Amino acid sequence: MAALDQTQVKEGVDQETVDAVREVGTYKYGWDTDIEMEYAPKGVNPDIVRLISEKNEEPEWMTEWRLAAFERWTKIDEPTWAMVHYPKIDFQDQYYYARPKSMEVKPKSLDEVDPKLLATYEKLGIPLKEQMILAGVEGAENMPAEGRKVAVDAVFDSVSVGTTFQEELKKAGVIFCSISEAIKEHPDLVKKYLGTVVPVSDNFYATLNSAVFSDGSFVYVPPGVRCPMELSTYFRINAENTGQFERTLIIADKGSYVSYLEGCTAPQRDTAQLHAAVVEIIVEEDAEVKYSTVQNWFPGDENGKGGIYNFVTKRADCRGDRSKVMWTQVETGSAVTWKYPSCILRGDDSQGEFYSIAITNNMQQADTGTKMVHLGKNTKSRIVSKGISAGKAQNTYRGLVSMHPKAKNSRNYTQCDSLLIGDKCGAHTVPYIEVRNNSSRVEHEATTSKVDDDQLFYCRQRGMDEEEAVALVVNGFCKDVLQALPMEFAMEAQQLVAISLEGSVG
Amino acid sequence: MLEINNLHVKLEEEEKEILKGVDLKVEAGKVHAIMGPNGSGKSTLSYVLSGRDGYEVTQGSATLDGNDLLELEPEERAAAGLFLAFQYPVEIPGVGNMTFLRTAVNAQRKARGEEELSAAEFLKDIRAKAKALKIDADMLKRPVNVGFSGGEKKRNEILQMAMLEPKMCILDETDSGLDVDAMKLVSEGVNALRDEGRSFLVITHYQRLLDHIKPDVVHIMADGQIVKSGGPELALEVEHNGYGDILAEVN
């Protein structure tokens, strides 16, 4: 017994030291949770696909859907057109399913969830108790005095740990649950909408996701309902050598409104990990969806070792007339980002907006942007992209604005600004514009600038240190986008901007 | 307060020496003015004292209350009480004037081990001080110096000075680009800050600013050195006769 105790103490100390050392680094969420996991065997094949489907207790139609996707996937090649470089991924050398053992029998309520999992989210600052998000931050005057409610779906590796405020949302008619639950409880809705925005065959990663997605969130807002609180999903990758493939499906029925937030972090490891998600949003007549992301996956170390490969397909289909969707993203993490949240503006007078901040430091690479596909009459889109590169990072804005023949009198405004810190990084802008009618108007403005020494000196003369000065200037540069974020996220994003750029000057 | 001894400075990139042995002593509570023709090194002196990159001190020293300024980072000099009102205040797009000032005030307080000002305390303070300088709420919200007129920029510098409460204020050609009314406002702002614990170094081309901000001592700078010092009457002499006579006399 004594020997065992000693070992435990030693391990404890080691862990503390490791944590302390990690705290010194810039990535705050690099710790991992020591928890017993259950894995599917490494690699991907029809048996693994069946196994995942079985683990989720899915109906036959879902299993078939996945198998068809897998079949498709084996026939497509990985895309190579993005301006990112990384070693070839061995898709057979990783796990496609990992869940904490304690989640084998799905807990009936959050009280029954493994305390280790709850502690993980607490440490991440994600409220899994049904509590108010309290005021007390700058700009909090817009919040009601009693605080604001945010419902959370927490996804840990391959499974959803729990979803808060479900009862209260149910009263309003809103369905907010994990996608695995939705497949079982609301099969008609899932069948009707899944894969209708991002088809199974859309692209290499989306197809892979269709075959092996394990969990994610599902939202349905019924006609005329304004969702009474913000909804959010927090994705945490914990297990090593494991890909996370989540699937999110959001349906805003006629005249409804919902604001949805997504956050993500992962432990600091020296091997790269794959995250290939698909998000589909359906916006019916007169409905509006706001989707905000603060992506803070582990970016890899300063030499480019480790980090998340974030290959994500996100698309919104504005099906109904006068429907509206707004994407806001703050991309600070990941070693490689490949992501183009897009809007299909099918309904007449529908609107799509895309606000993006993409920060790359050290060896990070980001190829990100949006697609605005104007199909309906009088459709409008707006793109505001702010790319910030530091260290040896490469940052590419890639966007498509397409005006179809029937999209008469449509408009797009695009503003792409790049900011460079130091002289070893790169910023690239690749806008594709297609206009196939003569009543539409497309405007594109782009700027590239460097953080100005005079600005930094001015800030420092007033008392700020160099990093504070850079953070202030960069936050100013991003202001148009930060303003588009819900308030809690805007605060987090501002701090994240500062943290991501630590060590980028001097 | 401020003591500069035999300060020699050259540009980092070239061999050209700009300050060639500056000696200056500013006592607490005093206002010193430095006048001189273009290219005499006045602005360089203000930049070197505040720690801007691009200059190399080859000889001499500069201390503030005994602290070696030249050893400190720019923000450490600021926290030690040195303030430079810029000749050309810098624009920072997207950063609200108030946010900028609050960040600066709290950064200095933190550096000095003082508690940060709460939002309410800060607001109360800045509103009162802004009012005295006729700076309205809109100007406080606008991004730092972006789209400000010349006069607004300079008034904003004085507001920053008032909020940061420095010990040693250097005003680098604060009168440039100001009309008579703006000059009066700015001068009043400066005069309101005159205090026995606070000193000023006013750099200017023209005597007219010194009509409003009355100096205790006037120095004439030429070719990287202070060539003559005297009372306020020295500024009047420059105003009447130009620099030519003084320079001829010195040479």
Side-chain angles (χ1 to χ4, degrees):
Chain A
M1 272 314 276
L4 186 68
D5 285 346
Q6 265 173 6
T7 323
Q8 278 173 341
V9 168
K10 201 174 158 201
E11 274 179 358
V13 170
D14 280 350
Q15 193 53 45
E16 255 178 46
T17 316
V18 170
D19 283 349
V21 170
R22 279 175 180 166
E23 288 289 333
V24 176
T26 53
Y27 189 69
K28 265 175 31 194
Y29 308 101
W31 43 271
D32 59 4
T33 308
D34 183 13
I35 193 165
E36 212 181 333
M37 297 294 289
E38 173 193 14
Y39 293 90
K42 257 190 186 174
V44 59
N45 55 52
D47 288 341
I48 294 288
V49 173
R50 271 192 207 96
L51 182 79
I52 294 169
S53 190
E54 202 176 295
K55 291 273 180 203
N56 285 350
E57 299 162 11
E58 286 172 356
E60 185 60 27
W61 62 266
M62 195 66 238
T63 318
E64 291 305 321
W65 196 83
R66 288 172 177 278
L67 286 167
F70 180 78
E71 180 62 28
R72 201 81 192 224
W73 182 69
T74 57
K75 297 190 179 93
I76 16 187
D77 293 324
E78 242 179 293
T80 53
W81 42 262
M83 209 181 283
V84 291
H85 304 278
Y86 51 91
K88 202 162 169 47
I89 300 169
D90 183 351
F91 288 93
Q92 297 303 341
D93 189 33
Q94 54 180 319
Y95 297 104
Y96 285 78
Y97 188 85
R99 81 171 166 198
K101 272 232 163 106
S102 57
M103 292 298 293
E104 197 172 335
V105 178
K106 185 141 186 164
K108 286 191 185 60
S109 75
L110 280 163
D111 303 336
E112 292 174 24
V113 170
D114 186 341
K116 269 190 182 169
L117 287 172
L118 294 178
T120 299
Y121 285 93
E122 199 178 316
K123 198 169 167 188
L124 292 168
I126 307 306
L128 284 193
K129 284 183 195 135
E130 299 199 347
Q131 68 201 14
M132 299 288 189
I133 305 290
L134 285 172
V137 286
E138 197 173 359
E141 57 265 33
N142 300 331
M143 286 225 283
E146 72 275 19
R148 236 157 90 171
K149 287 177 187 169
V150 177
V152 180
D153 182 25
V155 176
F156 188 89
D157 289 325
S158 304
V159 291
S160 166
V161 169
T163 312
T164 62
F165 288 113
Q166 271 181 314
E167 281 308 307
E168 197 170 329
L169 287 166
K170 209 170 167 183
K171 276 184 209 145
V174 175
I175 304 170
F176 180 41
C177 61
S178 67
I179 190 115
S180 55
E181 208 178 317
I183 291 166
K184 282 178 279 184
E185 307 293 330
H186 310 282
D188 294 344
L189 282 173
V190 175
K191 253 190 205 170
K192 185 174 170 192
Y193 292 105
L194 187 74
T196 62
V197 185
V198 178
V200 166
S201 57
D202 192 78
N203 69 71
F204 184 82
Y205 299 109
T207 307
L208 176 62
N209 175 288
S210 302
V212 301
F213 76 85
S214 48
D215 222 334
S217 300
F218 176 82
V219 177
Y220 174 76
V221 190
V225 171
R226 192 178 170 90
C227 189
M229 63 185 87
E230 298 202 321
L231 307 182
S232 75
T233 304
Y234 195 89
F235 295 101
R236 175 74 175 169
I237 295 181
N238 188 62
E240 210 162 347
N241 295 323
T242 303
Q244 191 177 54
F245 302 90
E246 91 261 2
R247 185 107 194 172
T248 296
L249 181 57
I250 298 173
I251 303 140
D253 217 326
K254 287 179 186 172
S256 67
Y257 168 86
V258 64
S259 167
Y260 180 92
L261 323 170
E262 177 204 300
C264 12
T265 59
Q268 191 156 348
R269 300 191 195 284
D270 55 13
T271 49
Q273 277 177 283
L274 181 61
H275 173 257
V278 172
V279 175
E280 295 180 278
I281 302 180
I282 292 105
V283 198
E284 300 285 9
E285 218 171 272
D286 295 305
E288 183 179 347
V289 175
K290 280 188 186 170
Y291 190 106
S292 316
T293 310
V294 171
Q295 185 264 105
N296 187 20
W297 295 118
F298 177 53
D301 69 10
E302 67 274 17
N303 301 314
K305 225 174 164 206
I308 301 289
Y309 293 167
N310 192 35
F311 301 147
V312 170
T313 307
K314 292 183 171 182
R315 198 171 300 153
D317 189 353
C318 287
R319 281 190 193 165
D321 294 348
R322 296 168 303 279
S323 56
K324 202 174 162 187
V325 72
M326 178 168 140
W327 294 103
T328 309
Q329 61 170 20
V330 180
E331 303 282 311
T332 62
S334 295
V336 181
T337 299
W338 180 98
K339 178 182 170 189
Y340 316 90
S342 304
C343 303
I344 316 261
L345 302 171
R346 200 183 299 277
D348 291 345
D349 301 289
S350 59
Q351 287 183 39
E353 290 173 50
F354 173 77
Y355 295 92
S356 169
I357 298 171
I359 301 181
T360 49
N361 195 1
N362 296 317
M363 300 295 279
Q364 279 178 275
Q365 308 171 65
D367 194 303
T368 185
T370 184
K371 286 190 266 186
M372 293 290 175
V373 181
H374 293 252
L375 300 175
K377 287 196 289 287
N378 308 318
T379 47
K380 281 193 200 118
S381 65
R382 182 183 176 87
I383 300 170
V384 179
S385 163
K386 305 277 180 177
I388 299 128
S389 319
K392 292 179 185 161
Q394 295 296 326
N395 204 322
T396 304
Y397 167 81
R398 188 183 302 275
L400 167 73
V401 176
S402 173
M403 301 284 183
H404 282 242
K406 284 183 184 160
K408 301 227 183 311
N409 296 313
S410 293
R411 283 191 187 170
N412 161 266
Y413 172 74
T414 301
Q415 187 191 334
C416 272
D417 298 322
S418 305
L419 187 69
L420 301 171
I421 302 172
D423 51 13
K424 293 190 181 70
C425 52
H428 317 273
T429 304
V430 192
Y432 301 86
I433 297 170
E434 300 168 1
V435 181
R436 286 190 273 154
N437 69 60
N438 49 23
S439 59
S440 291
R441 208 167 80 199
V442 176
E443 287 175 73
H444 181 96
E445 286 179 26
T447 65
T448 301
S449 50
K450 286 187 81 166
V451 168
D452 184 27
D453 287 342
D454 285 339
Q455 288 176 333
L456 295 185
F457 176 62
Y458 192 64
C459 294
R460 293 180 75 188
Q461 206 303 306
R462 297 305 184 243
M464 298 168 218
D465 66 30
E466 199 163 15
E467 278 174 355
E468 239 176 325
V470 169
L472 190 85
V473 171
V474 172
N475 270 312
F477 172 77
C478 300
K479 193 185 170 208
D480 297 348
V481 177
L482 290 171
Q483 276 177 337
L485 283 170
M487 206 195 60
E488 302 83 347
F489 256 31
M491 291 299 295
E492 190 189 333
Q494 265 182 25
Q495 287 161 6
L496 207 51
V497 166
I499 293 166
S500 311
L501 290 169
E502 265 173 30
S504 64
V505 284
Chain B
M1 175 80 63
L2 179 70
E3 206 172 328
I4 304 171
N5 285 311
N6 192 30
L7 190 67
H8 287 258
V9 172
K10 72 173 200 61
L11 288 178
E12 220 163 51
E13 309 265 298
E14 321 170 21
E15 281 314 303
K16 194 181 169 200
E17 191 169 52
I18 300 177
L19 299 184
K20 303 172 179 173
V22 174
D23 290 291
L24 180 68
K25 203 168 168 182
V26 182
E27 304 81 8
K30 298 290 181 200
V31 175
H32 283 226
I34 297 186
M35 303 180 75
N38 286 327
S40 56
K42 303 186 302 290
S43 286
T44 297
L45 179 64
S46 69
Y47 286 144
V48 170
L49 291 176
S50 52
R52 185 183 166 136
D53 281 344
Y55 302 99
E56 190 186 324
V57 175
T58 51
Q59 216 183 318
S61 67
T63 58
L64 182 64
D65 285 339
N67 294 315
D68 184 356
L69 280 178
L70 305 177
E71 282 296 303
L72 300 178
E73 294 292 334
E75 61 272 23
E76 293 169 331
R77 302 181 196 200
L82 184 86
F83 180 90
L84 171 64
F86 283 61
Q87 183 181 359
Y88 303 108
V90 181
E91 299 183 359
I92 310 180
V95 177
N97 214 3
M98 199 123 77
T99 308
F100 175 78
L101 250 175
R102 194 169 162 218
T103 310
V105 167
N106 282 333
Q108 289 202 13
R109 293 180 75 100
K110 214 171 125 192
R112 290 193 293 256
E114 298 162 12
E115 214 167 295
E116 294 192 3
L117 271 190
S118 75
E121 287 169 302
F122 176 80
L123 265 177
K124 206 177 145 201
D125 199 16
I126 197 169
R127 279 188 185 140
K129 285 173 175 164
K131 202 176 163 197
L133 286 158
K134 297 214 165 102
I135 291 176
D136 60 16
D138 179 56
M139 207 171 129
L140 290 177
K141 278 187 201 150
R142 274 154 62 190
V144 181
N145 294 323
V146 178
F148 285 26
S149 70
E152 285 176 329
K153 282 184 182 172
K154 296 297 170 78
R155 273 188 280 151
N156 199 35
E157 292 292 289
I158 305 305
L159 174 67
Q160 295 182 16
M161 188 163 89
M163 289 300 294
L164 293 166
E165 300 179 340
K167 281 194 258 179
M168 181 70 230
C169 311
I170 305 173
L171 276 60
D172 188 6
E173 301 200 18
T174 295
D175 51 337
S176 67
L178 291 190
D179 60 30
V180 181
D181 293 338
M183 178 130 63
K184 221 175 138 209
L185 260 179
V186 164
S187 307
E188 280 166 8
V190 172
N191 288 331
L193 290 171
R194 287 181 76 157
D195 179 279
E196 52 192 41
R198 183 172 291 134
S199 314
F200 291 83
L201 190 60
V202 181
I203 295 172
T204 180
H205 273 293
Y206 304 106
Q207 197 272 336
R208 54 178 191 174
L209 179 67
L210 305 178
D211 282 342
H212 300 284
I213 305 171
K214 298 258 187 292
D216 298 296
V217 185
V218 175
H219 307 276
I220 307 296
M221 194 162 178
D223 195 23
Q225 282 179 320
I226 286 174
V227 292
K228 191 170 181 182
S229 302
E233 71 286 351
L234 191 54
L236 288 170
E237 200 185 318
V238 170
E239 181 76 2
H240 290 294
N241 307 331
Y243 293 108
D245 286 1
I246 295 171
L247 297 185
E249 175 196 327
V250 171
N251 289 331

